[in-house]
Every structure is written in structure tokens, then in C-alpha cells.
Amino acid sequence: MKKKILFVCLGNICRSSTAEGIMRRLVAEAGREEEFEIDSAGILSYHQGELPDSRMRAHAARRGYELTHRSRPVTTDDFYRFDLILGMDDRNLQDLRDRAPSPEEERKIGRMTDYCTEIDADHVPDPYYGGSAGFERVIDILEDACQGLLTSLTPGS
């Protein structure tokens, strides 16, 4: 059975879409695509159907990531479909908990930065209103967290 992971941020155009792109590449590099289903979504539907933010795509491309996900909002079905739902910050986590249809589905919610092994971060900051350094910082954190997540989902690790 595939491990189904959903990454969530506010609008699904910066952080969660980047986490999805990074995780997809790590899984592919490990030759484990058949083991995972990876997606991302946003709390809000404001950017629904849009590609990730052009600045984030540019920063990600410099590191070899192609971000092609189209923004979509979190749905109730996501709580039943995914095994792990990872929020980027406290607001995302609270919004997810508020939307969880049952205590069982609420237990699927986790904090993305809990998987960091190198970077000390308690959340993934939203780079939307900042400059280049913010986008680079987000990618740094997400690379660390996604690698930690993959390691945690590796048998025998």
C-alpha cells in the first residue's frame, strides 16, 4: 500500500507546493515512486488552479526542482484519502484541526518542521511578502524536512 502524504499551507502556491516538488524528487531519486502518493493543498481557495508563485518557481528551478502543481483547497475527502497531512505553521495546523471530520482523521495532522534534522525551525515561514532570502530559507527548511520525512518512512531506519 502506498503511503499518502498531503502538504498544506495557506494558499498552496509557495510552501506546500514546494514541499510536494522536493518530496517527489527525493522519492524518485530513491527509486521509491511506487511507494508514495504525494500532493499539496491550501487552506484557502484564493489561488485555485494557479501554478506556484513565479518567484518560488524561479528559486526552486535554480536547485533543480520543477514546480508544476496547480493550487487547490483542502477538502474533507483529503482527511480520508491521506495518511499524513503536514501543515507548515501553527495557523495551518489549527485550521486543519478545525476541519478534521473526526478524531481519527485529526491524528493524521502533523507539523512539517518536526521532520527537520539539520535546521532548527518550529515552522516554515510564508515567503510571499518577503524577498529572495525568504524563498531560499523556505527551500532550505523544506529540503531538510522532506529528507527527514523520507528517512522516517524508510523501513529499518
Side-chain angles (χ1 to χ4, degrees):
M1 283 194 29
K2 286 187 177 191
K3 185 72 169 178
K4 299 174 184 175
I5 304 166
L6 181 67
F7 299 105
V8 178
C9 69
L10 187 62
N12 192 213
I13 59 165
C14 289
R15 298 171 290 171
S16 58
S17 56
T18 303
E20 176 186 348
I22 291 169
M23 191 68 178
R24 284 185 185 280
R25 187 170 96 187
L26 290 174
V27 165
E29 288 173 351
R32 299 176 62 191
E33 297 98 330
E34 297 303 314
E35 297 176 40
F36 294 94
E37 180 180 326
I38 302 163
D39 197 1
S40 63
I43 298 297
L44 303 177
S45 61
Y46 183 75
H47 297 285
Q48 187 166 350
E50 294 179 20
L51 283 169
D53 182 277
S54 60
R55 298 164 297 170
M56 183 55 89
R57 289 196 326 265
H59 284 275
R62 285 196 279 279
R63 296 196 197 190
Y65 302 108
E66 185 178 357
L67 306 182
T68 59
H69 175 82
R70 295 283 179 168
S71 175
R72 71 173 188 84
V74 173
T75 66
T76 301
D77 286 344
D78 288 330
F79 288 94
Y80 298 108
R81 179 175 165 203
F82 290 94
D83 304 309
L84 190 56
I85 301 171
L86 297 174
M88 301 293 146
D89 61 31
D90 287 341
R91 180 177 173 189
N92 304 151
L93 292 168
Q94 188 56 56
D95 287 340
L96 287 166
R97 287 184 189 109
D98 290 346
R99 293 176 185 211
S102 75
E104 182 178 345
E105 275 66 44
E106 185 176 353
R107 285 191 284 278
K108 298 176 179 182
I109 300 168
R111 179 185 303 275
M112 186 71 203
T113 53
D114 285 351
Y115 295 94
C116 286
T117 61
E118 302 291 325
I119 295 175
D120 184 21
D122 65 354
H123 71 287
V124 181
D126 190 344
Y128 190 79
Y129 294 105
S132 291
F135 288 94
E136 290 295 321
R137 176 74 175 152
V138 165
I139 296 171
D140 289 342
I141 293 169
L142 291 174
E143 285 178 333
D144 183 26
C146 286
Q147 185 59 62
L149 174 60
L150 184 58
T151 299
S152 78
L153 298 172
T154 301
S157 63

